[in-house]
Every structure is written in structure tokens, then in C-alpha cells.
Amino acid sequence: MKTLASAVLLAATALTGLAGWGAPAAAADALTLQLKWVTQAQFAGYYVAAAKGFYKDAGLDVTIKAGGPDINPTQVIAAGGADVIVDWMPSALASREKGVPLVNIAQMFQKSGMMLTCRKDANIKDPKDFKGNTLGVWFSGNEYPFLAWMSKLGYSTSGSSPDVKVLKQGFNVDPLLQKQAACISTMTYNEYWQLIEAGMKADELTIFKYQDQGVATLEDGLYATEKSLSDPKIVEKLAKFVKASAKGWEYAAKNQVEAVKIVLENDTTGAQTEEHQTTMMQEVAKLIEGGAKGTGYLDPADFDRTVGILMSGASAPVISKKPEGAYSHAVFDAAAKL
């Protein structure tokens, strides 16, 4: 009897094992995120969410694609190369008006980090002093906040005799160091500190923050396509992604040393330094604060302010009409229920 019982037990165990082998655990949902720029602490929350297993715990297999000077996130998602992109709202809305149906599903940066940084010896003490000077400006979609500001000031930026001469700025600070421009575009978390690291002193610079000048527009947000939001299953996947990403950002802000280490581990170019990324993480953490309903919430009032600024230029508005359906709380609300 003992032998028979043992045989039955072994058979049952074998059958259980075969059943388990034939029914593997559900595969994680794949999702691709396209960043706006290269691997750096500007995107720490996403790298942290991946490294700490937040995406995996949510049942997601997330691929993070770094950006660069030759990568336009809008074009990537339009071509099907990403499910979600990180972009600035001025660029996203301008692209939407041109036919790319982008929708903001979460707004990670609540405040603007954009500035114009000027040499003090250029004698620019107020925005009205920009007139007659050369100002460095990024393009590839990054120029829209600047153009909206100049238009609001009533300054022309093109033509045979513009009020402000625009220097197409590369993604470095050389034009200010070499005195090719009186002011250049900088971010609170990046290029300003490159100037300091290059030897310039804070008292040699005058800064004009877009946030302080009342011309701040929303920057790093998460965007998907209208088509994806029409599928409940995709909305659920995006909700998991937004919730895990918010958790990553909150962890990064509270554990900055670890977050910087994770960013550096993901920098395949080896171009980033611990010193610079540490400063960047400190400054970026300030930008995610303030979501009225939690990390990643887009306040409709902030959206309306951004649209108003982009439409404020009488002669050359960035967008010609208030966009409809350009943001949705559907994913954020679904994430809150998970």
C-alpha cells in the first residue's frame, strides 16, 4: 500500500509540474518611452522606476530610449517608435496643430526650469534691454517659449532688421563664454551650471527665469496619441506606467545620491559626471513639486496659461487657436485607482 500511495503521489506531482510548465505566468506588457534628451538626471524618475523594479511590479516591460540632438520625440511616436514620449508642451501643441494628435497624459514637471542667462558686462538689467542684442536660442521645438516671450514683448526676431538677433544655439554654452551672444538659453538644472563649472561666477551673470517673468510654459510632460487613448487596455497599461513613473520620481527626489548613481549607470556614453548630475538632480527635484492631486497631475489652469502665452503674440503666435482634446486626465485618474 505504501508503494502504491507513493506512486500515486509521484504521478500527481508530475502532473502538477506539467500543468505549471504548460501555463507560464502572464508576460509583462511592453512599453517604449522616448526621452526628449540624452540620459541625465532630467529623466531620473524613469530610470529609477526601472532600476528599483517599479515597472516590473506593475507588470510592465519598459524600454527607455535616450534622445539627442538628432532625435525628435514627436516624429518617433508618429512613426510608431514609442508608446509615450517626454516633451515640452509648446512643442507638443505646435506639433498637434500641424497634424500629430498628441495628448498630454501626465505632467511631471510642474514648474519651468528655462532661463535666459546673460553676461553682466552686456548691461542687460531688464527684458526691455534685450532689444538690439544677440540672444542664443535652441531650436528643434525648444524655440517656442522664447518666441512667445519675444512676441509678448513686441520684439521681432526675423526679417532684415529684427529687434533681437537670434543665434541658433547649439546644446552648449560656448556662445556666452566666447561673447558671441549677450544671453543664451539655459535650464536651471543644466546649462547654468555648465557656465559655473567652466569658470564663470554667479555675480558675472544675470538670469531671467521664464517662471519669474510670467511667461513660463509647461515643460517635461508625458504624451501619448489619441488613438492609444481610445483603447481601454492601452489606457490601463498607460495608467500603470504613469503610477510607477510617479513613484520613481518621488523616490528619486528623496534618495538623490542613489538616483544619480542609477542615472550614471544608464549613461552608455560616459559623458555625464557625478558632480553635474548631482546638481541637476537637486534642481530637477524642485520642478516636480506642487501637483495639486499628486505627482504627474496636469492642472487645467497651467494648461490654459501655457496656451495663452503661446497665443499671445499678435504677429507670430506659436499656435493659432486653443487646442481641443490636447490633454486628458483619463490615464491619471485610472492610475489613482490602481
Side-chain angles (χ1 to χ4, degrees), residues 7-84:
V8 171
L9 179 61
L10 287 171
T13 301
L15 287 172
T16 301
L18 286 172
W21 177 79
D29 286 331
L31 184 146
T32 298
L33 170 68
Q34 174 66 62
L35 303 180
K36 182 174 176 62
W37 193 236
V38 298
T39 300
Q40 57 184 16
Q42 178 184 355
F43 311 108
Y46 310 112
Y47 287 113
V48 166
K52 301 301 292 184
F54 300 157
Y55 291 138
K56 183 178 179 181
D57 291 345
L60 299 175
D61 178 13
V62 175
T63 299
I64 302 174
K65 297 169 70 173
D70 299 320
I71 297 174
N72 184 323
T74 298
Q75 294 177 356
V76 172
I77 196 170
D83 301 292
V84 182

Side-chain angles (χ1 to χ4, degrees), residues 116-122 124 130 135 176 182-184 195 200 204-208:
L116 276 181
T117 297
C118 309
R119 299 185 64 97
K120 189 154 285 187
D121 55 20
I124 296 177
F130 291 153
L135 309 182
L176 203 72
C183 312
I184 61 171
L195 290 167
M200 294 199 75
E204 295 177 317
L205 302 169
T206 301
I207 62 174
F208 298 94

Side-chain angles (χ1 to χ4, degrees), residues 75-130:
Q75 294 177 356
V76 172
I77 196 170
D83 301 292
V84 182
I85 63 172
V86 177
D87 205 356
W88 289 2
M89 187 168 284
S91 174
L93 293 183
S95 296
R96 183 180 175 85
E97 189 164 285
K98 294 174 183 177
V100 182
L102 295 178
V103 180
N104 179 296
I105 59 172
Q107 185 59 43
M108 293 302 175
F109 282 17
Q110 298 293 314
K111 294 181 283 291
S112 169
M114 199 169 185
M115 308 187 292
L116 276 181
T117 297
C118 309
R119 299 185 64 97
K120 189 154 285 187
D121 55 20
N123 295 316
I124 296 177
K125 301 176 181 179
D126 187 87
K128 63 179 174 56
D129 299 327
F130 291 153

